[in-house]
Amino acid sequence: MFDPQWLPTIMIFLPLLGSLLVFVTPNRWRDEVAGFMAAVTLGIGLMIWYAGGSGLLSLNWIPALGITYSVELSGVSLALAMVTAFMSFIAVLYAARRIPNPGTMLALILAMETGLLGIFAARDLILFYVFFEDALLPSLLMLAIYGKAHRMRALVKFAAYTLFGSLLMLVSIIGVRYLGGSPTFALVDLKQNLVTGPAQTWLYLGFLTAMAVKLPLWPLHAWLPDFHEQNHDSGIPDVMGTLYKVGGYGLFTFAIPLFPDASLELRPILMGLAAFTALYSAWIAFGQKDWKRLLAYAGLSHMGFVALGVFSLNETAVIGAMYLLAFQNLYTGALFLSVGMVQERIGSLDTRVGGLMTGAGALGGLTIALWFASIAVPGFAGFIGEFSVLLGAYQVSPWLAFMAGITTIAAAAYALTAFQTTFWQARPLGSVAVRDLVHTEWLILGLPLVVAIFFGVYSAPALNLMQPAVKSVLAALGGN
């Protein structure tokens, strides 16, 4: 009889199988094979969600080194895995339509999906590190193969920041096990053999640095705008990049349980850094004239909110942070694809082109609706996440919550200003006519918007999934 504990493993590695199949499939069938594998992966995720999550599967992988194959999809990890599978499916649909001879791009999307799902399912620190690196490689290849003229500069910067953080994380991972005396790297064993004293703080700082690069947090964010700006104009690599939520998730799943004393000790400093990141990013976004750089800073501002919630160690704020971490992928990813559609029509990512609403009303309508989700208008999933973060953070530090709250005003300013100058201002004389949405473009923008509205109006399924996981993690602190 089939053991449902194996479902996460199938969900993780099915996209990788699809990636390999894409390379050996005749050109005329590659789109269908990639779409089928992405859809089946999403279907398996729905099965796990319907079952309320999977149990923990733990097998000895390299016993001599204490490395296990421990995976589980439940709570926050299941929510993130579901959104990842959904948006990967959307990315496959758009790549099949937008990218000429899309076989390589489709294979990289599916390969990266395996790494991302593995990150969320891993319950062993070495396994987590392996999937962390596995997801990085397809992202680098997308930039190297499909990027713009200055892609190598962006690639080197991205790789340097990430590898620097990875090295510190690996040192911390090894230290956590050997200084704590755990028999394995499995999370369940590590939590029973915690490192104490100053060593815990130093190991936390190493792990925190790696996660701060991937969130990212100021001042470790410099790679992000160039990464997005130099990626392919379609926005497909950017969608996969927004799904790379290892920073916020790693802090929640591993840092809080393994470094509880250090988390409490550094809470005020880290909350201040997170609030500053959110406000600073929104301010910088306001001055951007390139859509991709604007979206990069908007995403950075959202991650400031996520970090504020996680670092506050308040149950309401942490639930809000995880909610925002998951569902921000929907509308930010869809906005990158919307920008890609604008670029396909007019050949520019400049926010000052003007007048697109005249010929592309549906594209403009869906784009502004996605922006409403991004700036946390009530009725969208983003509102529940950001409001919960502010509500919980206020109980810990009212002034920092107020500082972060100003970001919501700044977000409306930069989003609506850029939308106005792109879609409403007068179109220059002699400009070519702009066509509206056609065929699958409606689904590519419409489906993420529908999901964002659904979980903005009816949040119970996601909150009921996340709340027990958050309570379990925060129990390591003995109350908050």
Side-chain angles (χ1 to χ4, degrees):
M1 187 175 179
F2 178 74
D3 188 346
Q5 288 183 335
W6 284 95
L7 279 176
T9 299
I10 297 173
M11 185 180 181
I12 291 168
F13 291 104
L14 191 62
L16 183 60
L17 175 61
S19 177
L20 298 174
L21 287 176
V22 165
F23 279 120
V24 299
T25 302
N27 287 345
R28 67 178 183 274
W29 297 111
R30 286 179 175 179
D31 301 357
E32 288 77 7
V33 168
F36 175 77
M37 299 302 273
V40 172
T41 302
L42 178 59
I44 294 173
L46 289 171
M47 291 172 57
I48 299 173
W49 187 307
Y50 182 77
S54 73
L56 175 66
L57 173 67
S58 186
L59 305 170
N60 286 325
W61 182 18
I62 309 177
L65 299 178
I67 302 173
T68 68
Y69 177 80
S70 301
V71 293
E72 179 182 7
L73 282 176
S74 60
V76 172
S77 65
L78 179 55
L80 284 163
M82 282 299 303
V83 174
T84 296
F86 176 75
M87 289 307 295
S88 296
F89 175 67
I90 295 293
V92 165
L93 286 182
Y94 191 49
R97 193 201 71 80
R98 173 72 189 271
I99 307 294
N101 191 20
T104 301
M105 177 67 85
L106 293 173
L108 291 174
I109 291 171
L110 293 173
M112 187 167 178
E113 183 181 1
T114 284
L116 295 172
L117 295 174
I119 285 170
F120 302 135
R123 294 297 181 271
D124 178 285
L125 269 179
I126 295 294
L127 186 64
F128 174 78
Y129 182 81
V130 169
F131 282 123
F132 177 93
E133 298 297 338
D134 176 59
L136 174 64
L137 292 176
S139 182
L140 290 171
L141 288 173
M142 285 183 197
L143 180 58
I145 296 171
Y146 293 98
K148 300 177 190 174
H150 301 294
R151 62 183 180 272
M152 294 312 297
R153 183 180 63 190
L155 189 151
V156 169
K157 186 184 292 187
F158 175 47
Y161 272 86
T162 303
L163 293 176
F164 168 71
S166 297
L167 178 61
L168 291 178
M169 179 169 67
L170 184 59
V171 171
S172 294
I173 287 172
I174 295 172
V176 164
R177 183 198 167 189
Y178 287 102
L179 293 181
S182 173
T184 71
F185 287 97
L187 183 60
V188 64
D189 289 331
L190 293 173
K191 289 196 293 187
Q192 295 173 358
N193 298 272
L194 296 179
V195 178
T196 58
Q200 184 185 117
T201 301
W202 286 109
L203 292 174
Y204 177 55
L205 289 173
F207 194 87
L208 172 66
T209 301
M211 297 300 102
V213 168
K214 298 309 298 176
L215 257 169
L217 282 178
W218 182 91
L220 299 175
H221 70 288
W223 61 270
L224 185 68
D226 291 340
F227 171 82
H228 286 299
E229 182 185 31
Q230 293 301 316
N231 251 313
H232 192 267
D233 287 329
S234 65
I236 294 164
D238 304 291
V239 172
M240 302 309 296
T242 62
L243 295 173
Y244 204 174
K245 290 296 186 283
V246 62
Y249 177 75
L251 289 171
F252 167 76
T253 302
F254 295 103
I256 294 176
L258 298 180
F259 313 107
D261 296 336
S263 297
L264 286 168
E265 179 185 357
L266 298 176
R267 172 163 64 175
I269 297 172
L270 295 177
M271 285 183 68
L273 185 62
F276 176 79
T277 298
L279 186 58
Y280 161 82
S281 304
W283 175 261
I284 299 299
F286 189 78
Q288 300 304 307
K289 304 304 179 186
D290 180 280
W291 267 111
K292 282 202 172 189
R293 293 186 72 88
L294 189 152
L295 286 171
Y297 281 109
L300 178 60
S301 184
H302 288 139
M303 291 306 100
F305 262 93
V306 169
L308 179 67
V310 173
F311 291 143
S312 73
L313 305 177
N314 173 277
E315 182 182 320
T316 302
V318 175
I319 291 174
M322 294 301 102
Y323 204 90
L324 182 60
L325 189 69
F327 293 109
Q328 182 259 356
N329 293 326
L330 294 170
Y331 42 81
T332 300
L335 280 169
F336 272 113
L337 297 180
S338 169
V339 168
M341 293 176 189
V342 169
Q343 191 281 334
E344 183 183 20
R345 286 158 169 78
I346 65 173
S348 174
L349 289 169
D350 197 292
T351 62
R352 299 163 293 182
V353 292
L356 298 189
M357 185 64 82
T358 304
L363 174 58
L366 287 179
T367 299
I368 192 62
L370 290 166
W371 268 121
F372 285 157
S374 180
I375 63 177
V377 170
F380 294 91
F383 172 77
I384 294 174
E386 292 193 16
F387 182 77
S388 298
V389 167
L390 291 176
L391 185 63
Y394 182 84
Q395 299 174 37
V396 179
S397 176
W399 282 109
L400 289 178
F402 173 77
M403 179 179 170
I406 299 174
T407 302
T408 59
I409 302 172
Y414 68 66
L416 297 179
T417 299
F419 181 84
Q420 179 184 8
T421 56
T422 300
F423 285 90
W424 283 119
Q425 283 189 353
R427 192 93 171 103
L429 293 176
S431 300
V432 297
V434 179
R435 63 177 172 82
D436 211 343
L437 296 177
V438 294
H439 310 307
T440 55
E441 290 178 336
W442 285 92
L443 292 176
I444 289 161
L445 297 185
L447 288 177
L449 179 61
V450 168
V451 177
I453 293 174
F454 177 83
F455 283 101
V457 175
Y458 184 50
S459 59
L463 289 178
N464 291 340
L465 191 68
M466 293 180 178
Q467 190 170 24
V470 171
K471 286 180 176 289
S472 175
V473 168
L474 293 182
L477 304 172
N480 55 295

